[in-house]
Amino acid sequence: QVQLVESGGGLVQPGGSLRLSCVASGSIFSINAMGWYRQAPGKERELVAMVPSGGRTNYADSVMGRFTISGDNAMNTVFLQMNSLKAEDTAVYYCTMRVKDPTYRNLDVWGQGTAVTVSS
């Protein structure tokens, strides 16, 4: 069983920065992709950024140039550095990873979410 735990959310003023972290624990053979999604009130969950192992990072147009995703496979951790935050970035942010367990089964795992509120 694999679990993801996010941290780093909170209240920040427009123009400010936050750094989200997500750590995976459990029976992990390898991590094939790491990413972040978000869900604003009344809206569907949307991709923020995704980094596949050895692949090209993908960002939503709305966060391009402001957010940076980075992963540390050795530490089973993914980060999301969020700069120049806007009110429209307010949402619950979810970490997700595609992992391979010791039986070589692929699993898509989600964290519980961390709330980010951008407001003055």
Side-chain angles (χ1 to χ4, degrees):
Q1 191 171 0
V2 178
Q3 292 183 328
L4 304 184
V5 177
E6 301 117 328
S7 60
L11 173 65
V12 63
Q13 292 186 344
S17 298
L18 280 176
R19 189 186 195 216
L20 306 183
S21 302
C22 174
V23 180
S25 62
S27 300
I28 299 171
F29 176 76
S30 65
I31 298 176
N32 300 323
M34 299 178 171
W36 292 91
Y37 281 70
R38 68 185 180 187
Q39 187 166 18
K43 295 189 177 181
E44 294 186 353
R45 191 174 296 190
E46 64 175 359
L47 173 69
V48 176
M50 182 70 68
V51 53
S53 179
R56 184 176 179 178
T57 302
N58 183 34
Y59 291 98
D61 289 343
S62 59
V63 307
M64 189 81 70
R66 299 187 298 121
F67 290 11
T68 302
I69 187 172
S70 60
D72 185 338
N73 281 47
M75 298 298 292
N76 295 342
T77 302
V78 61
F79 304 97
L80 185 68
Q81 178 66 43
M82 306 185 293
N83 298 328
S84 303
L85 283 160
K86 306 175 181 180
E88 50 264 42
D89 295 317
T90 295
V92 177
Y93 285 71
Y94 297 90
C95 169
T96 183
M97 296 188 188
R98 170 157 288 191
V99 307
K100 192 180 295 289
D101 72 10
T103 68
Y104 303 111
R105 182 178 55 165
N106 287 315
L107 304 171
D108 288 323
V109 190
W110 292 84
Q112 80 287 352
T114 184
V116 172
T117 302
V118 184
S119 175
S120 55

